[in-house]
Amino acid sequence: MMRIAIVLTACLTVSDFAAHAQSTAAASGRESHFVSQSRTFFPHNWVRGYTDFSVAPSHNEPDLGRCMFPQPAGAGGAASTCTAYARYLFSGYIEFQPLGRTLARHFFLFFEPKFSFGRNIPQLTYTASMLPIAFDRSIGIAFQLPRNFELRATQHQVDWLGRYGNPLGAADLRTNGPNGLYATFGVRWSFGGYGRQGAPSDY
């Protein structure tokens, strides 16, 4: 729980810092905005992103792929300890682009965390518990290209939290989490202005 609290606090702090910085820049007027855009380090909107909190209603819980369904008879029924069906999802996406000049201004780092909480078994048990289940995250580096294209290298992995770090009986599939551990190289195209408002290194 301490680890979860630290990461959640860090995400919220970065988001609050970014929002405060943007508000200050907007209030300073057109001239100061131009100056901040041209700074070599930490230009306007060098930290940007969003946070999201979602609640899944009963009978709609996300399946994290850890537990068998239906669970075998030997799993204990409603008393089974394999309950990795989330009620709450806390997620976000943050980009860090600290350089505002030279070719390096087109590089940025990104971080996409997602925390899952809950204790449910479909058709057997539905609760409002916030028992930690998993920390799913993607991190990577990207390079901006003309016409809203980006080259992106991404690494993804999942850490099971709390009791899910140990075997959970007959219903436990012992998976590596949603999508497991992987790395990808790809190209992203954004259109309609999506994701580029205020970015410091537009072409």
Side-chain angles (χ1 to χ4, degrees), residues 98-164:
L99 300 178
R101 292 182 179 178
T102 75
L103 184 65
R105 74 186 188 278
H106 298 297
F107 283 100
F108 65 91
L109 304 174
F110 59 89
F111 176 50
E112 188 171 9
K114 178 184 290 184
F115 293 89
S116 304
F117 305 89
R119 184 171 62 84
N120 305 281
I121 304 175
Q123 301 180 5
L124 289 176
T125 304
Y126 299 96
T127 74
S129 171
M130 284 199 70
L131 183 72
I133 301 176
F135 173 32
D136 181 319
R137 64 191 180 277
S138 295
I139 60 174
I141 186 170
F143 183 79
Q144 296 172 330
L145 299 172
R147 300 185 181 277
N148 297 325
F149 283 93
E150 296 173 357
L151 297 177
R152 299 171 71 94
T154 305
Q155 191 268 341
H156 171 273
Q157 73 179 71
V158 178
D159 287 337
W160 294 110
L161 303 176
R163 70 184 188 187
Y164 291 95

Short mmCIF file of all heavy atoms in Angstrom, two decimals, residues 98-164:
data_model
loop_
_atom_site.label_atom_id
_atom_site.label_comp_id
_atom_site.label_asym_id
_atom_site.label_seq_id
_atom_site.Cartn_x
_atom_site.Cartn_y
_atom_site.Cartn_z
N PRO A 98 11.53 18.36 -21.88
CA PRO A 98 12.23 19.45 -21.18
C PRO A 98 13.07 20.36 -22.05
O PRO A 98 13.52 21.40 -21.58
CB PRO A 98 13.11 18.70 -20.18
CG PRO A 98 13.38 17.39 -20.84
CD PRO A 98 12.13 17.05 -21.60
N LEU A 99 13.34 19.99 -23.31
CA LEU A 99 14.19 20.80 -24.17
C LEU A 99 13.35 21.58 -25.18
O LEU A 99 12.43 21.02 -25.79
CB LEU A 99 15.20 19.92 -24.90
CG LEU A 99 16.15 19.13 -23.99
CD1 LEU A 99 17.08 18.26 -24.81
CD2 LEU A 99 16.96 20.08 -23.11
N GLY A 100 13.66 22.86 -25.35
CA GLY A 100 12.86 23.71 -26.22
C GLY A 100 13.56 24.20 -27.46
O GLY A 100 12.97 24.90 -28.27
N ARG A 101 14.84 23.85 -27.63
CA ARG A 101 15.58 24.30 -28.80
C ARG A 101 16.41 23.15 -29.38
O ARG A 101 16.55 22.11 -28.74
CB ARG A 101 16.51 25.46 -28.43
CG ARG A 101 15.79 26.75 -28.06
CD ARG A 101 16.78 27.85 -27.76
NE ARG A 101 16.12 29.10 -27.42
CZ ARG A 101 16.76 30.22 -27.08
NH1 ARG A 101 18.09 30.22 -27.04
NH2 ARG A 101 16.09 31.31 -26.78
N THR A 102 16.96 23.38 -30.55
CA THR A 102 17.76 22.42 -31.32
C THR A 102 16.91 21.21 -31.71
O THR A 102 15.73 21.11 -31.36
CB THR A 102 19.02 21.94 -30.55
OG1 THR A 102 18.64 21.01 -29.53
CG2 THR A 102 19.76 23.12 -29.93
N LEU A 103 17.52 20.29 -32.40
CA LEU A 103 16.80 19.09 -32.85
C LEU A 103 16.26 18.28 -31.67
O LEU A 103 15.24 17.59 -31.78
CB LEU A 103 17.73 18.22 -33.69
CG LEU A 103 17.12 16.96 -34.32
CD1 LEU A 103 16.05 17.34 -35.35
CD2 LEU A 103 18.22 16.12 -34.98
N ALA A 104 16.92 18.40 -30.53
CA ALA A 104 16.51 17.64 -29.35
C ALA A 104 15.12 18.02 -28.86
O ALA A 104 14.51 17.27 -28.10
CB ALA A 104 17.53 17.83 -28.22
N ARG A 105 14.60 19.18 -29.29
CA ARG A 105 13.28 19.60 -28.82
C ARG A 105 12.17 18.68 -29.32
O ARG A 105 11.05 18.72 -28.81
CB ARG A 105 12.99 21.04 -29.26
CG ARG A 105 12.66 21.20 -30.75
CD ARG A 105 12.55 22.68 -31.11
NE ARG A 105 12.07 22.89 -32.48
CZ ARG A 105 12.82 22.84 -33.56
NH1 ARG A 105 14.13 22.58 -33.43
NH2 ARG A 105 12.31 23.04 -34.76
N HIS A 106 12.47 17.86 -30.31
CA HIS A 106 11.46 16.96 -30.85
C HIS A 106 11.37 15.64 -30.08
O HIS A 106 10.49 14.83 -30.35
CB HIS A 106 11.73 16.67 -32.33
CG HIS A 106 11.69 17.90 -33.19
ND1 HIS A 106 10.54 18.65 -33.36
CD2 HIS A 106 12.66 18.53 -33.91
CE1 HIS A 106 10.80 19.67 -34.16
NE2 HIS A 106 12.07 19.63 -34.49
N PHE A 107 12.28 15.42 -29.15
CA PHE A 107 12.23 14.21 -28.32
C PHE A 107 11.38 14.46 -27.08
O PHE A 107 11.40 15.55 -26.50
CB PHE A 107 13.64 13.80 -27.86
CG PHE A 107 14.44 13.11 -28.92
CD1 PHE A 107 15.40 13.81 -29.65
CD2 PHE A 107 14.25 11.76 -29.19
CE1 PHE A 107 16.15 13.18 -30.62
CE2 PHE A 107 15.01 11.12 -30.16
CZ PHE A 107 15.96 11.83 -30.88
N PHE A 108 10.65 13.45 -26.64
CA PHE A 108 9.97 13.53 -25.35
C PHE A 108 9.82 12.13 -24.77
O PHE A 108 9.84 11.13 -25.49
CB PHE A 108 8.61 14.24 -25.46
CG PHE A 108 7.58 13.52 -26.29
CD1 PHE A 108 6.71 12.60 -25.72
CD2 PHE A 108 7.47 13.78 -27.65
CE1 PHE A 108 5.74 11.95 -26.49
CE2 PHE A 108 6.51 13.15 -28.42
CZ PHE A 108 5.64 12.23 -27.84
N LEU A 109 9.70 12.07 -23.46
CA LEU A 109 9.45 10.83 -22.75
C LEU A 109 7.98 10.76 -22.37
O LEU A 109 7.34 11.79 -22.15
CB LEU A 109 10.31 10.76 -21.49
CG LEU A 109 11.82 10.91 -21.68
CD1 LEU A 109 12.52 10.96 -20.32
CD2 LEU A 109 12.39 9.78 -22.52
N PHE A 110 7.45 9.55 -22.27
CA PHE A 110 6.06 9.42 -21.85
C PHE A 110 5.92 8.27 -20.85
O PHE A 110 6.70 7.33 -20.84
CB PHE A 110 5.12 9.22 -23.05
CG PHE A 110 5.43 8.02 -23.90
CD1 PHE A 110 4.88 6.78 -23.63
CD2 PHE A 110 6.27 8.14 -25.00
CE1 PHE A 110 5.15 5.68 -24.42
CE2 PHE A 110 6.55 7.05 -25.81
CZ PHE A 110 5.99 5.81 -25.52
N PHE A 111 4.91 8.40 -20.01
CA PHE A 111 4.64 7.44 -18.94
C PHE A 111 3.14 7.27 -18.84
O PHE A 111 2.40 8.25 -18.74
CB PHE A 111 5.23 7.96 -17.63
CG PHE A 111 4.94 7.09 -16.43
CD1 PHE A 111 5.19 5.73 -16.46
CD2 PHE A 111 4.45 7.64 -15.26
CE1 PHE A 111 4.94 4.93 -15.35
CE2 PHE A 111 4.20 6.86 -14.15
CZ PHE A 111 4.45 5.50 -14.19
N GLU A 112 2.67 6.02 -18.89
CA GLU A 112 1.23 5.75 -18.86
C GLU A 112 0.93 4.68 -17.79
O GLU A 112 0.97 3.49 -18.07
CB GLU A 112 0.75 5.27 -20.23
CG GLU A 112 -0.75 5.14 -20.35
CD GLU A 112 -1.20 4.88 -21.77
OE1 GLU A 112 -0.33 4.61 -22.64
OE2 GLU A 112 -2.42 4.93 -22.03
N PRO A 113 0.64 5.11 -16.56
CA PRO A 113 0.36 4.15 -15.49
C PRO A 113 -1.13 3.84 -15.38
O PRO A 113 -1.99 4.65 -15.74
CB PRO A 113 0.84 4.89 -14.24
CG PRO A 113 0.53 6.33 -14.56
CD PRO A 113 0.73 6.48 -16.06
N LYS A 114 -1.43 2.65 -14.88
CA LYS A 114 -2.82 2.28 -14.58
C LYS A 114 -2.83 1.37 -13.35
O LYS A 114 -2.15 0.34 -13.34
CB LYS A 114 -3.48 1.57 -15.76
CG LYS A 114 -4.92 1.13 -15.47
CD LYS A 114 -5.53 0.35 -16.63
CE LYS A 114 -5.78 1.24 -17.82
NZ LYS A 114 -6.46 0.51 -18.92
N PHE A 115 -3.59 1.76 -12.34
CA PHE A 115 -3.75 0.96 -11.13
C PHE A 115 -5.14 0.33 -11.12
O PHE A 115 -6.13 1.00 -11.44
CB PHE A 115 -3.57 1.82 -9.88
CG PHE A 115 -2.18 2.34 -9.68
CD1 PHE A 115 -1.78 3.54 -10.23
CD2 PHE A 115 -1.26 1.61 -8.94
CE1 PHE A 115 -0.50 4.03 -10.05
CE2 PHE A 115 0.02 2.08 -8.76
CZ PHE A 115 0.41 3.30 -9.31
N SER A 116 -5.20 -0.93 -10.72
CA SER A 116 -6.48 -1.64 -10.64
C SER A 116 -6.74 -2.03 -9.19
O SER A 116 -5.84 -2.51 -8.49
CB SER A 116 -6.44 -2.90 -11.51
OG SER A 116 -6.11 -2.59 -12.84
N PHE A 117 -7.99 -1.83 -8.77
CA PHE A 117 -8.39 -2.16 -7.40
C PHE A 117 -9.73 -2.91 -7.44
O PHE A 117 -10.60 -2.60 -8.25
CB PHE A 117 -8.57 -0.90 -6.56
CG PHE A 117 -7.38 0.02 -6.53
CD1 PHE A 117 -7.22 1.00 -7.49
CD2 PHE A 117 -6.42 -0.11 -5.54
CE1 PHE A 117 -6.13 1.86 -7.46
CE2 PHE A 117 -5.32 0.75 -5.50
CZ PHE A 117 -5.18 1.73 -6.47
N GLY A 118 -9.90 -3.84 -6.51
CA GLY A 118 -11.18 -4.52 -6.42
C GLY A 118 -11.05 -5.91 -5.82
O GLY A 118 -9.95 -6.42 -5.60
N ARG A 119 -12.20 -6.52 -5.58
CA ARG A 119 -12.24 -7.90 -5.07
C ARG A 119 -13.58 -8.50 -5.48
O ARG A 119 -14.57 -8.41 -4.76
CB ARG A 119 -12.07 -7.94 -3.55
CG ARG A 119 -12.00 -9.35 -2.96
CD ARG A 119 -11.61 -9.33 -1.49
NE ARG A 119 -12.59 -8.62 -0.68
CZ ARG A 119 -13.71 -9.18 -0.20
NH1 ARG A 119 -14.00 -10.44 -0.48
NH2 ARG A 119 -14.53 -8.47 0.54
N ASN A 120 -13.61 -9.07 -6.67
CA ASN A 120 -14.86 -9.56 -7.24
C ASN A 120 -14.65 -10.89 -7.95
O ASN A 120 -13.57 -11.17 -8.46
CB ASN A 120 -15.42 -8.55 -8.24
CG ASN A 120 -15.59 -7.16 -7.63
OD1 ASN A 120 -16.54 -6.90 -6.91
ND2 ASN A 120 -14.64 -6.27 -7.92
N ILE A 121 -15.70 -11.69 -7.99
CA ILE A 121 -15.74 -12.93 -8.76
C ILE A 121 -17.05 -12.93 -9.53
O ILE A 121 -18.12 -12.93 -8.92
CB ILE A 121 -15.67 -14.18 -7.86
CG1 ILE A 121 -14.43 -14.14 -6.97
CG2 ILE A 121 -15.66 -15.44 -8.72
CD1 ILE A 121 -14.36 -15.29 -5.97
N PRO A 122 -17.01 -12.88 -10.85
CA PRO A 122 -18.24 -12.83 -11.63
C PRO A 122 -19.22 -13.95 -11.26
O PRO A 122 -18.83 -15.10 -11.09
CB PRO A 122 -17.75 -12.98 -13.08
CG PRO A 122 -16.36 -12.44 -13.04
CD PRO A 122 -15.81 -12.84 -11.71
N GLN A 123 -20.47 -13.56 -11.10
CA GLN A 123 -21.58 -14.46 -10.78
C GLN A 123 -21.53 -15.02 -9.37
O GLN A 123 -22.40 -15.79 -8.97
CB GLN A 123 -21.66 -15.62 -11.79
CG GLN A 123 -21.84 -15.15 -13.22
CD GLN A 123 -21.90 -16.29 -14.21
OE1 GLN A 123 -21.90 -17.46 -13.83
NE2 GLN A 123 -21.94 -15.95 -15.49
N LEU A 124 -20.50 -14.63 -8.59
CA LEU A 124 -20.39 -15.13 -7.22
C LEU A 124 -20.30 -14.02 -6.18
O LEU A 124 -21.05 -14.01 -5.21
CB LEU A 124 -19.16 -16.05 -7.09
CG LEU A 124 -19.23 -17.41 -7.78
CD1 LEU A 124 -17.90 -18.14 -7.61
CD2 LEU A 124 -20.37 -18.24 -7.19
N THR A 125 -19.36 -13.09 -6.37
CA THR A 125 -19.10 -12.07 -5.36
C THR A 125 -18.89 -10.71 -6.01
O THR A 125 -18.06 -10.58 -6.92
CB THR A 125 -17.83 -12.42 -4.54
OG1 THR A 125 -17.98 -13.71 -3.97
CG2 THR A 125 -17.61 -11.40 -3.44
N TYR A 126 -19.63 -9.71 -5.53
CA TYR A 126 -19.46 -8.34 -6.00
C TYR A 126 -19.32 -7.44 -4.77
O TYR A 126 -20.21 -7.41 -3.92
CB TYR A 126 -20.66 -7.90 -6.84
CG TYR A 126 -20.85 -8.73 -8.09
CD1 TYR A 126 -21.74 -9.80 -8.11
CD2 TYR A 126 -20.13 -8.45 -9.25
CE1 TYR A 126 -21.91 -10.57 -9.25
CE2 TYR A 126 -20.29 -9.21 -10.39
CZ TYR A 126 -21.18 -10.27 -10.39
OH TYR A 126 -21.34 -11.03 -11.52
N THR A 127 -18.19 -6.74 -4.67
CA THR A 127 -17.94 -5.89 -3.51
C THR A 127 -17.48 -4.51 -3.95
O THR A 127 -17.17 -4.27 -5.12
CB THR A 127 -16.85 -6.50 -2.60
OG1 THR A 127 -15.57 -6.34 -3.22
CG2 THR A 127 -17.11 -7.99 -2.34
N ALA A 128 -17.41 -3.59 -2.97
CA ALA A 128 -16.89 -2.24 -3.22
C ALA A 128 -15.45 -2.11 -2.73
O ALA A 128 -14.93 -1.01 -2.61
CB ALA A 128 -17.77 -1.21 -2.52
N SER A 129 -14.80 -3.23 -2.48
CA SER A 129 -13.44 -3.23 -1.94
C SER A 129 -12.46 -2.53 -2.87
O SER A 129 -12.57 -2.61 -4.10
CB SER A 129 -12.99 -4.67 -1.70
OG SER A 129 -11.61 -4.73 -1.38
N MET A 130 -11.46 -1.85 -2.27
CA MET A 130 -10.36 -1.26 -3.03
C MET A 130 -9.07 -2.04 -2.83
O MET A 130 -7.97 -1.47 -2.79
CB MET A 130 -10.16 0.21 -2.65
CG MET A 130 -11.20 1.14 -3.23
SD MET A 130 -10.69 2.87 -3.24
CE MET A 130 -9.41 2.86 -4.52
N LEU A 131 -9.18 -3.34 -2.74
CA LEU A 131 -8.01 -4.18 -2.60
C LEU A 131 -7.11 -4.01 -3.83
O LEU A 131 -7.56 -4.15 -4.96
CB LEU A 131 -8.43 -5.65 -2.48
CG LEU A 131 -7.31 -6.66 -2.25
CD1 LEU A 131 -6.77 -6.53 -0.83
CD2 LEU A 131 -7.81 -8.08 -2.49
N PRO A 132 -5.83 -3.68 -3.64
CA PRO A 132 -4.93 -3.49 -4.79
C PRO A 132 -4.77 -4.78 -5.58
O PRO A 132 -4.62 -5.86 -5.01
CB PRO A 132 -3.60 -3.08 -4.15
CG PRO A 132 -3.95 -2.61 -2.78
CD PRO A 132 -5.14 -3.41 -2.35
N ILE A 133 -4.80 -4.65 -6.90
CA ILE A 133 -4.64 -5.82 -7.76
C ILE A 133 -3.37 -5.71 -8.60
O ILE A 133 -2.49 -6.57 -8.52
CB ILE A 133 -5.85 -5.99 -8.70
CG1 ILE A 133 -7.14 -6.15 -7.90
CG2 ILE A 133 -5.64 -7.22 -9.59
CD1 ILE A 133 -8.39 -6.23 -8.76
N ALA A 134 -3.26 -4.66 -9.40
CA ALA A 134 -2.13 -4.60 -10.34
C ALA A 134 -1.72 -3.16 -10.64
O ALA A 134 -2.53 -2.24 -10.57
CB ALA A 134 -2.48 -5.32 -11.63
N PHE A 135 -0.45 -3.02 -11.00
CA PHE A 135 0.10 -1.76 -11.49
C PHE A 135 0.58 -2.02 -12.91
O PHE A 135 1.59 -2.67 -13.14
CB PHE A 135 1.25 -1.31 -10.59
CG PHE A 135 2.00 -0.10 -11.09
CD1 PHE A 135 1.38 0.90 -11.82
CD2 PHE A 135 3.36 0.04 -10.80
CE1 PHE A 135 2.07 2.01 -12.27
CE2 PHE A 135 4.07 1.15 -11.24
CZ PHE A 135 3.43 2.13 -11.98
N ASP A 136 -0.18 -1.53 -13.87
CA ASP A 136 0.08 -1.71 -15.30
C ASP A 136 0.69 -0.41 -15.82
O ASP A 136 0.15 0.66 -15.59
CB ASP A 136 -1.25 -2.02 -15.98
CG ASP A 136 -1.13 -2.26 -17.47
OD1 ASP A 136 -0.38 -1.54 -18.15
OD2 ASP A 136 -1.81 -3.16 -17.97
N ARG A 137 1.79 -0.50 -16.53
CA ARG A 137 2.43 0.75 -16.98
C ARG A 137 3.15 0.57 -18.31
O ARG A 137 3.66 -0.51 -18.63
CB ARG A 137 3.42 1.25 -15.94
CG ARG A 137 4.60 0.32 -15.69
CD ARG A 137 5.37 0.79 -14.47
NE ARG A 137 6.52 -0.05 -14.16
CZ ARG A 137 6.45 -1.18 -13.48
NH1 ARG A 137 5.28 -1.64 -13.08
NH2 ARG A 137 7.54 -1.87 -13.20
N SER A 138 3.17 1.66 -19.05
CA SER A 138 3.95 1.76 -20.28
C SER A 138 4.85 2.98 -20.16
O SER A 138 4.40 4.04 -19.72
CB SER A 138 3.05 1.90 -21.51
OG SER A 138 2.26 0.76 -21.71
N ILE A 139 6.10 2.83 -20.55
CA ILE A 139 7.03 3.95 -20.57
C ILE A 139 7.74 3.94 -21.92
O ILE A 139 7.84 2.90 -22.58
CB ILE A 139 8.06 3.89 -19.43
CG1 ILE A 139 8.89 2.59 -19.52
CG2 ILE A 139 7.38 3.97 -18.08
CD1 ILE A 139 10.03 2.52 -18.52
N GLY A 140 8.22 5.10 -22.33
CA GLY A 140 8.91 5.10 -23.61
C GLY A 140 9.45 6.46 -23.99
O GLY A 140 9.38 7.43 -23.24
N ILE A 141 9.98 6.51 -25.20
CA ILE A 141 10.54 7.73 -25.77
C ILE A 141 9.97 7.90 -27.17
O ILE A 141 9.71 6.91 -27.87
CB ILE A 141 12.08 7.68 -25.79
CG1 ILE A 141 12.66 9.02 -26.23
CG2 ILE A 141 12.59 6.54 -26.67
CD1 ILE A 141 14.17 9.12 -26.04
N ALA A 142 9.76 9.15 -27.56
CA ALA A 142 9.18 9.43 -28.87
C ALA A 142 9.92 10.58 -29.53
O ALA A 142 10.56 11.40 -28.87
CB ALA A 142 7.70 9.75 -28.74
N PHE A 143 9.79 10.63 -30.85
CA PHE A 143 10.39 11.71 -31.64
C PHE A 143 9.33 12.26 -32.57
O PHE A 143 8.72 11.51 -33.34
CB PHE A 143 11.59 11.20 -32.44
CG PHE A 143 12.31 12.28 -33.21
CD1 PHE A 143 13.19 13.13 -32.58
CD2 PHE A 143 12.08 12.44 -34.58
CE1 PHE A 143 13.86 14.12 -33.28
CE2 PHE A 143 12.74 13.43 -35.29
CZ PHE A 143 13.63 14.28 -34.64
N GLN A 144 9.11 13.57 -32.51
CA GLN A 144 8.09 14.21 -33.33
C GLN A 144 8.59 14.42 -34.76
O GLN A 144 9.71 14.87 -34.98
CB GLN A 144 7.70 15.56 -32.73
CG GLN A 144 7.03 15.44 -31.37
CD GLN A 144 6.82 16.78 -30.71
OE1 GLN A 144 7.61 17.71 -30.94
NE2 GLN A 144 5.80 16.91 -29.90
N LEU A 145 7.72 14.11 -35.71
CA LEU A 145 8.00 14.28 -37.13
C LEU A 145 7.02 15.30 -37.71
O LEU A 145 6.02 15.64 -37.07
CB LEU A 145 7.85 12.94 -37.86
CG LEU A 145 8.79 11.82 -37.42
CD1 LEU A 145 8.40 10.51 -38.09
CD2 LEU A 145 10.24 12.17 -37.74
N PRO A 146 7.27 15.79 -38.92
CA PRO A 146 6.31 16.70 -39.55
C PRO A 146 4.95 16.04 -39.76
O PRO A 146 4.83 14.82 -39.76
CB PRO A 146 6.98 17.04 -40.90
CG PRO A 146 8.43 16.76 -40.69
CD PRO A 146 8.49 15.61 -39.74
N ARG A 147 3.93 16.87 -39.93
CA ARG A 147 2.56 16.44 -40.24
C ARG A 147 1.97 15.54 -39.14
O ARG A 147 1.23 14.60 -39.41
CB ARG A 147 2.51 15.74 -41.60
CG ARG A 147 2.95 16.63 -42.75
CD ARG A 147 2.76 15.95 -44.09
NE ARG A 147 3.22 16.81 -45.18
CZ ARG A 147 2.49 17.79 -45.73
NH1 ARG A 147 1.28 18.03 -45.28
NH2 ARG A 147 2.99 18.52 -46.71
N ASN A 148 2.34 15.84 -37.89
CA ASN A 148 1.75 15.19 -36.72
C ASN A 148 2.06 13.70 -36.62
O ASN A 148 1.30 12.93 -36.02
CB ASN A 148 0.23 15.40 -36.70
CG ASN A 148 -0.14 16.85 -36.56
OD1 ASN A 148 0.53 17.62 -35.89
ND2 ASN A 148 -1.22 17.24 -37.23
N PHE A 149 3.19 13.27 -37.18
CA PHE A 149 3.64 11.90 -37.00
C PHE A 149 4.65 11.83 -35.85
O PHE A 149 5.35 12.81 -35.56
CB PHE A 149 4.28 11.36 -38.28
CG PHE A 149 3.30 10.97 -39.35
CD1 PHE A 149 2.91 11.88 -40.32
CD2 PHE A 149 2.75 9.69 -39.37
CE1 PHE A 149 2.00 11.53 -41.30
CE2 PHE A 149 1.84 9.33 -40.35
CZ PHE A 149 1.46 10.25 -41.32
N GLU A 150 4.72 10.68 -35.21
CA GLU A 150 5.68 10.44 -34.14
C GLU A 150 6.26 9.04 -34.28
O GLU A 150 5.53 8.08 -34.60
CB GLU A 150 5.02 10.53 -32.76
CG GLU A 150 4.47 11.89 -32.40
CD GLU A 150 3.67 11.84 -31.11
OE1 GLU A 150 3.51 10.73 -30.53
OE2 GLU A 150 3.20 12.91 -30.68
N LEU A 151 7.55 8.91 -34.03
CA LEU A 151 8.18 7.61 -33.85
C LEU A 151 8.20 7.32 -32.36
O LEU A 151 8.61 8.16 -31.57
CB LEU A 151 9.60 7.61 -34.40
CG LEU A 151 9.76 7.87 -35.90
CD1 LEU A 151 11.24 7.90 -36.27
CD2 LEU A 151 9.05 6.79 -36.71
N ARG A 152 7.75 6.11 -31.96
CA ARG A 152 7.61 5.81 -30.54
C ARG A 152 8.20 4.43 -30.22
O ARG A 152 7.94 3.46 -30.93
CB ARG A 152 6.14 5.84 -30.12
CG ARG A 152 5.48 7.19 -30.33
CD ARG A 152 3.97 7.12 -30.11
NE ARG A 152 3.63 6.95 -28.71
CZ ARG A 152 3.35 7.97 -27.89
NH1 ARG A 152 3.39 9.22 -28.33
NH2 ARG A 152 3.02 7.74 -26.63
N ALA A 153 8.99 4.39 -29.15
CA ALA A 153 9.49 3.13 -28.60
C ALA A 153 8.87 2.96 -27.22
O ALA A 153 9.01 3.84 -26.36
CB ALA A 153 11.01 3.14 -28.51
N THR A 154 8.20 1.83 -27.00
CA THR A 154 7.42 1.64 -25.77
C THR A 154 7.78 0.31 -25.10
O THR A 154 7.95 -0.70 -25.78
CB THR A 154 5.91 1.62 -26.10
OG1 THR A 154 5.56 2.81 -26.80
CG2 THR A 154 5.08 1.52 -24.83
N GLN A 155 7.89 0.35 -23.78
CA GLN A 155 8.06 -0.87 -22.99
C GLN A 155 6.91 -0.96 -22.00
O GLN A 155 6.58 0.02 -21.32
CB GLN A 155 9.40 -0.85 -22.26
CG GLN A 155 9.80 -2.17 -21.62
CD GLN A 155 9.37 -2.30 -20.16
OE1 GLN A 155 9.09 -1.32 -19.50
NE2 GLN A 155 9.30 -3.52 -19.67
N HIS A 156 6.29 -2.12 -21.93
CA HIS A 156 5.11 -2.31 -21.08
C HIS A 156 5.34 -3.49 -20.14
O HIS A 156 5.94 -4.50 -20.52
CB HIS A 156 3.88 -2.60 -21.96
CG HIS A 156 2.67 -3.02 -21.18
ND1 HIS A 156 2.42 -4.34 -20.84
CD2 HIS A 156 1.64 -2.31 -20.67
CE1 HIS A 156 1.30 -4.42 -20.16
NE2 HIS A 156 0.80 -3.21 -20.04
N GLN A 157 4.86 -3.35 -18.92
CA GLN A 157 4.89 -4.47 -17.99
C GLN A 157 3.83 -4.28 -16.91
O GLN A 157 3.26 -3.20 -16.76
CB GLN A 157 6.26 -4.65 -17.35
CG GLN A 157 6.64 -3.61 -16.31
CD GLN A 157 8.01 -3.89 -15.72
OE1 GLN A 157 9.02 -3.71 -16.40
NE2 GLN A 157 8.05 -4.31 -14.48
N VAL A 158 3.57 -5.35 -16.18
CA VAL A 158 2.57 -5.34 -15.12
C VAL A 158 3.19 -5.92 -13.86
O VAL A 158 3.84 -6.96 -13.89
CB VAL A 158 1.32 -6.17 -15.50
CG1 VAL A 158 0.31 -6.18 -14.37
CG2 VAL A 158 0.69 -5.62 -16.78
N ASP A 159 2.99 -5.23 -12.73
CA ASP A 159 3.38 -5.75 -11.43
C ASP A 159 2.11 -6.08 -10.65
O ASP A 159 1.22 -5.23 -10.50
CB ASP A 159 4.19 -4.72 -10.64
CG ASP A 159 5.60 -4.55 -11.19
OD1 ASP A 159 6.09 -5.49 -11.84
OD2 ASP A 159 6.20 -3.49 -10.97
N TRP A 160 2.03 -7.31 -10.16
CA TRP A 160 0.91 -7.68 -9.30
C TRP A 160 1.15 -7.10 -7.91
O TRP A 160 2.27 -7.12 -7.41
CB TRP A 160 0.76 -9.19 -9.23
CG TRP A 160 0.36 -9.82 -10.53
CD1 TRP A 160 1.14 -10.61 -11.32
CD2 TRP A 160 -0.90 -9.71 -11.18
NE1 TRP A 160 0.44 -11.00 -12.44
CE2 TRP A 160 -0.82 -10.46 -12.38
CE3 TRP A 160 -2.09 -9.05 -10.89
CZ2 TRP A 160 -1.88 -10.58 -13.27
CZ3 TRP A 160 -3.15 -9.16 -11.77
CH2 TRP A 160 -3.05 -9.91 -12.94
N LEU A 161 0.11 -6.61 -7.28
CA LEU A 161 0.22 -5.95 -5.98
C LEU A 161 -0.37 -6.81 -4.87
O LEU A 161 -1.26 -7.63 -5.11
CB LEU A 161 -0.49 -4.60 -6.03
CG LEU A 161 -0.03 -3.62 -7.12
CD1 LEU A 161 -0.90 -2.37 -7.11
CD2 LEU A 161 1.44 -3.25 -6.93
N GLY A 162 0.10 -6.55 -3.65
CA GLY A 162 -0.46 -7.23 -2.49
C GLY A 162 -0.40 -8.74 -2.59
O GLY A 162 0.62 -9.32 -2.97
N ARG A 163 -1.51 -9.38 -2.30
CA ARG A 163 -1.54 -10.84 -2.27
C ARG A 163 -1.37 -11.46 -3.66
O ARG A 163 -1.05 -12.65 -3.78
CB ARG A 163 -2.85 -11.33 -1.66
CG ARG A 163 -4.09 -11.09 -2.52
CD ARG A 163 -5.33 -11.51 -1.77
NE ARG A 163 -6.53 -11.47 -2.59
CZ ARG A 163 -7.75 -11.67 -2.12
NH1 ARG A 163 -7.92 -11.89 -0.83
NH2 ARG A 163 -8.79 -11.63 -2.93
N TYR A 164 -1.55 -10.65 -4.71
CA TYR A 164 -1.40 -11.18 -6.06
C TYR A 164 0.05 -11.43 -6.44
O TYR A 164 0.34 -11.97 -7.52
CB TYR A 164 -2.08 -10.25 -7.07
CG TYR A 164 -3.58 -10.28 -6.92
CD1 TYR A 164 -4.24 -9.33 -6.15
CD2 TYR A 164 -4.33 -11.29 -7.50
CE1 TYR A 164 -5.61 -9.38 -5.97
CE2 TYR A 164 -5.70 -11.35 -7.33
CZ TYR A 164 -6.34 -10.39 -6.56
OH TYR A 164 -7.69 -10.45 -6.38
#
